[in-house]
Amino acid sequence: TKICPKKTSFDSVQIEIISGPHSGETYTLSPSLRKPCFIGRSTGKKFRDRGISLSKDSEVSTTHGKFEMKPGGLIFFTDTGSTNGTLHQGVELDDNVPLKLEENMELLVGSSVLKIKFKQT
């Protein structure tokens, strides 16, 4: 489990990879108002230390999307213009349009299914 550096007292989000090349991995992210946490195929520092690196999933873009905190403590996911897109309930997300995350929501990022859980901090 990787921890995204925490700057606020808001809840964090737990991302469980339930299928795909990284199945069984779990990440705990705590995006703040000014510091999103990124997901992608890259193994760069911002993915390793502050986000999620899905380096074994060839369907994931180098920088696929981001988890960000909005005012009021809500956490959103935004596809940042990935090549293969992100699906929620079979519908592709529009690029750069934040989706409010909800408990037990599933997102298809590349060939990986991510299950969303919220954690009280």
Side-chain angles (χ1 to χ4, degrees):
T1 300
K2 295 184 180 182
I3 305 293
C4 183
K6 192 163 171 352
K7 302 288 183 199
T8 65
S9 60
F10 292 103
D11 292 344
S12 60
V13 61
Q14 182 172 301
I15 311 298
E16 180 183 346
I17 315 297
I18 59 174
S19 71
H22 293 269
S23 184
E25 295 179 16
T26 301
Y27 300 84
T28 300
L29 305 177
S30 296
S32 66
L33 290 173
R34 289 184 216 129
K35 284 204 163 225
C37 296
F38 290 89
I39 184 170
R41 195 175 67 245
S42 174
T43 57
K45 185 173 175 65
K46 75 177 179 180
F47 297 90
R48 289 189 327 266
D49 296 348
R50 299 188 0 84
I52 301 173
S53 173
L54 298 176
S55 61
K56 294 184 263 181
D57 190 336
S58 62
E59 299 298 311
V60 172
S61 292
T62 303
T63 300
H64 199 99
K66 64 184 176 180
F67 296 88
E68 56 190 335
M69 177 75 66
K70 299 283 188 182
L74 300 175
I75 299 176
F76 289 76
F77 176 82
T78 303
D79 185 299
T80 54
S82 68
T83 301
N84 292 321
T86 302
L87 298 180
H88 173 247
Q89 295 180 335
V91 177
E92 187 167 350
L93 302 184
D94 291 329
D95 290 351
N96 300 306
V97 176
L99 173 70
K100 182 176 159 264
L101 297 180
E102 297 176 4
E103 185 75 14
N104 294 316
M105 176 183 279
E106 292 182 5
L107 298 173
L108 178 64
V109 174
S111 62
S112 299
V113 176
L114 285 57
K115 186 165 191 158
I116 308 301
K117 298 275 194 177
F118 290 101
K119 294 181 75 174
Q120 199 71 18
T121 55

